[in-house]
């Protein structure tokens, strides 16, 4: 069950979703991972070796190419205490929430990049509410 607003508008508070256990992720995928005895839900932005940069307007660049992010309502730099541009370490994934101004994610050293062993799976399906029933994009 989704708790919070860090993934709005893609996911809403109290939505019930299903995750598929997999180890293959691409930029744009939604994943769930363990963090401090909770499961956080975020979007994959970059993988090991990628260079991530975010400008003051919240535009995200991966390896100097701006990401097309139609799923965002508002862009924001948000809580960011890493030095940009940032290279994703080996064996890690850089993730961000869709509600950029409130999401705490890989832009913050308190969360950092996600290790493969932390990942629960890829979000694939919304079960509740029925108005959102179906595949998650």
């Amino acid at each position: 069950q989704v708790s919070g607003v860090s993934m709005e508008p893609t996911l809403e508070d109290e939505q019930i979703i299903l995750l598929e256990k997999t180890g293959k992720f691409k930029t744009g995928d939604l994943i769930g991972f363990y963090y401090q005895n909770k499961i956080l839900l975020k979007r994959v932005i970059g993988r090991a070796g990628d260079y991530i940069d975010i400008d003051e307007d919240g535009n995200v660049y991966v390896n100097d190419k701006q990401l097309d992010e139609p799923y965002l309502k508002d862009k924001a730099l948000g809580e960011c205490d890493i030095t940009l541009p940032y290279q994703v370490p080996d064996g890690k994934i850089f993730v961000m929430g869709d509600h950029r101004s409130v999401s705490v994610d890989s832009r913050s050293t308190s969360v950092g990049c996600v290790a493969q062993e932390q990942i629960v799976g890829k979000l694939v399906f919304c079960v509740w509410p029925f108005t959102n029933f179906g595949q998650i994009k």
Side-chain angles (χ1 to χ4, degrees), residues 78-119:
E79 184 178 320
C80 182
D81 65 0
I82 60 172
T83 302
L84 296 169
Y86 176 84
Q87 186 174 25
V88 182
D90 286 344
K92 304 276 184 147
I93 296 175
F94 191 95
V95 298
M96 292 172 70
D98 287 357
H99 194 171
R100 301 282 163 84
S101 61
V102 300
S103 179
V104 179
D105 46 44
S106 295
R107 296 171 292 174
S108 169
T109 53
S110 66
V111 174
C113 289
V114 179
Q116 198 69 36
E117 56 270 12
Q118 290 175 266
I119 298 173

Side-chain angles (χ1 to χ4, degrees), residues 8-71:
E8 286 182 348
T10 308
L11 301 174
E12 298 169 7
D13 192 33
E14 298 189 2
Q15 245 180 320
I16 297 176
I17 47 102
L18 296 176
L19 288 89
E20 173 187 18
K21 193 136 181 86
T22 180
K24 298 181 191 235
F25 308 103
K26 63 185 186 308
T27 299
D29 283 349
L30 299 172
I31 65 169
F33 59 94
Y34 290 110
Y35 175 75
Q36 293 186 347
N37 297 321
K38 293 188 274 186
I39 296 177
L40 298 185
L41 307 171
K42 304 292 178 191
R43 190 174 296 273
V44 173
I45 299 299
R47 296 178 296 179
D50 286 343
Y51 283 92
I52 310 297
D53 203 0
I54 308 164
D55 66 22
E56 287 181 16
D57 295 325
N59 295 305
V60 177
Y61 300 84
V62 178
N63 301 323
D64 295 324
K65 184 176 179 184
Q66 185 175 351
L67 286 186
D68 177 28
E69 299 186 287
Y71 41 80

